[in-house]
Amino acid sequence: MAIIALHAAASVLHFNNNNSNSNNSNNNNKAINNSNNSNNQDGYNTNDQHTRKHIQQELRNWREEYSIDQIKQLARSSEAKFTVAVLASGGCVDTIAAIRAGFQPIWGTETCKIRQQMWQDITGTQNLGDTFKMNPNEIVSPDYITSGQPCPNYSLSGDQSGEDGETGWMFTAQTDLILSMDPKPKAVRLEISDHAVDIHQGREVNYVINQLSTFYTVHARILPMWQYGDPTSRSRLFIVAFLEELEPATPSFQFPTPDYDHTNYPTMRDIAVPDSTVPANYWRYDAPDQIRWREPTPGYAHKIAQSGEGMGHSSNPHPVQSWEGLGNSQTTYNGGGRRPKLDWPLTRDGPVGSTRLPVPIETTRMVSLPESYMQWV
């Protein structure tokens, strides 16, 4: 997530620096689903050992390029040319990405007290609390505003109630705040579960795009996280908008070009820690049954076993995946999937054996954050 958020923020910064324009995206699900994915998906390229080590090092270098202390320094730097505000700052993943891209945070919003403290510590600026209780006339408008409102009501594993859900209304309501700012932000980046385009036939997504389109040139696209370095099967809908009154006629904005494809791709093995370092409480010994075998496919999780119906409780998820595919989209409680020992051979027959949940540092790596993030939180 940090990588693609950085890509998007960097694209916004590049756009602002060049003060150039882009074509208005079509307001339909077909355009939204037209992701940057023209790669060959036939067959499975396991990569040789040299290639795997290269990808592992590449991912590590990107994650560790900036420590949390260095991120804090960047946030307080006077060299940034453009300001950013972050709605629903959460664990500060989007915030870190915006800082790495060269933006200077000026305020954020978040209802969780602990996450408010995280924002204040990493940025040195105020967190204004509840997004929807702010008075837009009392805040400084940023050059760029980014937001990732809660998505349980839009996710495939959620209740799919959309804006009718407990938090789903926030995705659509945030446009009222953005459009009421004076002056309006030059650029906007919103994200939500990719499944949002299927909720109510895309009603909420179309509403957000239509609202923003009254003042902005809007682009929307679903992007798979693995193509940008997060070794998970997660995809997200990104909506990027630029204030029309600032744009000349020449289009230039493009969604970031993927870093990886079906011949050069990350896997969960690339971020795994040795089994010997995994605490005992992360291991499970219920010996789940293998499912019908299929070969690992780049860009997908590789499911090898199932211990029961559905996803199961987060303490003992039912799906079991190998290390040769992508990680699952994790739940708040570290559920969604588990894996066998690292030395388990890819085999059509035989027991899976003991399995384990992802440990915190693997979870951190799954979203491309530095290891110092774990020490920080």
Side-chain angles (χ1 to χ4, degrees):
M1 280 295 293
I3 290 181
I4 186 57
L6 170 65
H7 274 297
S11 295
V12 170
L13 182 60
H14 174 76
F15 184 98
N16 278 326
N17 279 330
N18 289 280
N19 193 28
S20 52
N21 181 29
S22 55
N23 288 330
N24 202 357
S25 295
N26 292 327
N27 182 16
N28 59 58
N29 292 353
K30 181 178 179 181
I32 291 173
N33 281 287
N34 181 25
S35 64
N36 287 332
N37 184 8
S38 58
N39 305 298
N40 178 20
Q41 299 186 33
D42 296 333
Y44 177 69
N45 180 353
T46 58
N47 289 174
D48 57 29
Q49 188 174 17
H50 174 76
T51 303
R52 287 260 60 89
K53 287 184 177 180
H54 174 76
I55 292 176
Q56 291 167 11
Q57 187 62 50
E58 193 171 55
L59 297 178
R60 185 182 304 113
N61 289 346
W62 195 95
R63 291 194 307 267
E64 302 302 330
E65 183 176 1
Y66 293 94
S67 67
I68 292 300
D69 284 343
Q70 290 172 314
I71 293 293
K72 292 179 182 180
Q73 294 173 13
L74 285 176
R76 293 159 175 77
S77 171
S78 60
E79 297 179 2
K81 296 180 179 179
F82 296 100
T83 58
V84 62
V86 181
L87 305 182
S89 57
C92 294
V93 178
D94 289 349
T95 306
I96 291 171
I99 294 169
R100 287 191 60 165
F103 289 93
Q104 185 171 43
I106 55 174
W107 54 264
T109 66
E110 175 59 51
T111 56
C112 172
K113 296 297 184 182
I114 293 176
R115 292 172 179 174
Q116 288 176 5
Q117 293 172 6
M118 291 172 66
W119 165 273
Q120 292 164 353
D121 182 64
I122 204 166
T123 70
T125 65
Q126 60 183 339
N127 191 288
L128 303 178
D130 193 326
T131 300
F132 304 99
K133 292 182 179 179
M134 291 194 307
N135 183 344
N137 297 319
E138 297 177 353
I139 58 176
V140 177
S141 293
D143 295 307
Y144 167 49
I145 196 162
T146 181
S147 174
Q149 296 296 331
C151 61
N153 299 133
Y154 294 94
S155 67
L156 190 60
S157 60
D159 63 12
Q160 303 182 48
S161 58
E163 65 182 342
D164 300 325
E166 182 180 358
T167 60
W169 61 271
M170 299 178 183
F171 173 60
T172 53
Q174 65 185 328
T175 58
D176 294 333
L177 171 66
I178 294 169
L179 295 178
S180 63
M181 291 184 182
D182 186 19
K184 292 177 177 56
K186 298 181 180 70
V188 177
R189 188 208 69 122
L190 310 179
E191 68 167 282
I192 196 70
S193 167
D194 60 317
H195 192 58
V197 298
D198 297 317
I199 303 298
H200 301 143
Q201 293 78 50
R203 182 184 74 197
E204 289 88 345
V205 172
N206 288 334
Y207 174 85
V208 168
I209 292 175
N210 288 333
Q211 285 289 95
L212 291 176
S213 294
T214 57
F215 292 96
Y216 291 86
T217 299
V218 182
H219 311 260
R221 181 164 292 181
I222 291 173
L223 300 178
M225 299 296 94
W226 73 270
Q227 290 188 346
Y228 300 89
D230 288 356
T232 74
S233 56
R234 195 180 194 195
S235 292
R236 301 288 283 176
L237 169 63
F238 290 90
I239 298 174
V240 179
F242 298 95
L243 199 59
E244 286 184 342
E245 65 185 47
L246 300 178
E247 301 176 0
T250 305
S252 72
F253 176 78
Q254 298 290 332
F255 279 93
T257 301
D259 298 312
Y260 297 95
D261 59 27
H262 290 83
T263 62
N264 182 51
Y265 49 85
T267 69
M268 279 296 290
R269 187 173 292 277
D270 297 323
I271 63 167
V273 301
D275 289 339
S276 59
T277 66
V278 177
N281 60 319
Y282 284 81
W283 288 98
R284 301 294 179 267
Y285 301 96
D286 54 338
D289 296 327
Q290 276 211 53
I291 61 172
R292 182 177 179 180
W293 178 262
R294 64 176 177 83
E295 294 294 324
T297 303
Y300 294 90
H302 181 224
K303 188 175 178 181
I304 57 176
Q306 182 82 12
S307 64
E309 294 184 4
M311 183 181 292
H313 193 269
S314 58
S315 63
N316 193 37
H318 292 164
V320 180
Q321 298 116 4
S322 82
W323 293 96
E324 315 314 322
L326 298 175
N328 53 282
S329 295
Q330 284 187 294
T331 67
T332 305
Y333 297 98
N334 200 29
R338 46 187 165 128
R339 286 160 195 85
K341 291 182 177 180
L342 285 165
D343 61 1
W344 180 80
L346 283 176
T347 176
R348 297 173 183 269
D349 303 303
V352 173
S354 55
T355 59
R356 65 178 177 90
L357 299 171
V359 295
I361 194 61
E362 290 171 335
T363 299
T364 301
R365 292 172 180 175
M366 288 169 76
V367 291
S368 301
L369 290 168
E371 299 204 7
S372 56
Y373 182 87
M374 282 303 305
Q375 301 164 3
W376 177 56
V377 299

